[in-house]
Amino acid sequence: NDNVHYVHSVPEALSWAQTNAFDYLFVVGGAQLFDLSLEHATKIYHTKIHAKVDGDVSWKIPDSWECHSSTSFPADADNQY
């Protein structure tokens, strides 16, 4: 996909975005990557899924961040959660 660029570090992502005049970067987990990226973040798009899933790591938004909007969507035929 020409609209997606993969990198292997936070500094590489920041450099690539600056070189290519991108205003926004999206970090797609996991917890360690979120922690490394947080100091550069100005906005968090957080998806909360109401389900128990297998996994050994979770990530909590730091208390210093404030929620400015929230939207809920009920489960439906296409989305079970």
Side-chain angles (χ1 to χ4, degrees):
N1 184 329
D2 291 339
N3 295 317
V4 176
H5 186 81
Y6 298 92
V7 296
H8 301 284
S9 70
V10 173
E12 183 183 353
L14 295 171
S15 175
W16 184 88
Q18 185 176 32
T19 299
N20 292 280
F22 277 77
D23 294 325
Y24 300 100
L25 295 174
F26 287 85
V27 176
V28 183
Q32 219 174 22
L33 189 52
F34 292 148
D35 287 339
L36 291 170
S37 304
L38 189 61
E39 70 180 271
H40 306 285
T42 58
K43 185 182 288 189
I44 296 174
Y45 293 92
H46 177 248
T47 301
K48 185 174 185 177
I49 299 171
H50 299 281
K52 288 196 177 247
V53 295
D54 290 334
D56 61 350
V57 177
S58 62
W59 189 77
K60 183 181 180 302
I61 295 175
D63 292 334
S64 59
W65 283 75
E66 182 179 312
C67 180
H68 288 271
S69 81
S70 178
T71 305
S72 294
F73 299 95
D76 60 25
D78 294 323
N79 303 285
Q80 67 177 341
Y81 302 112

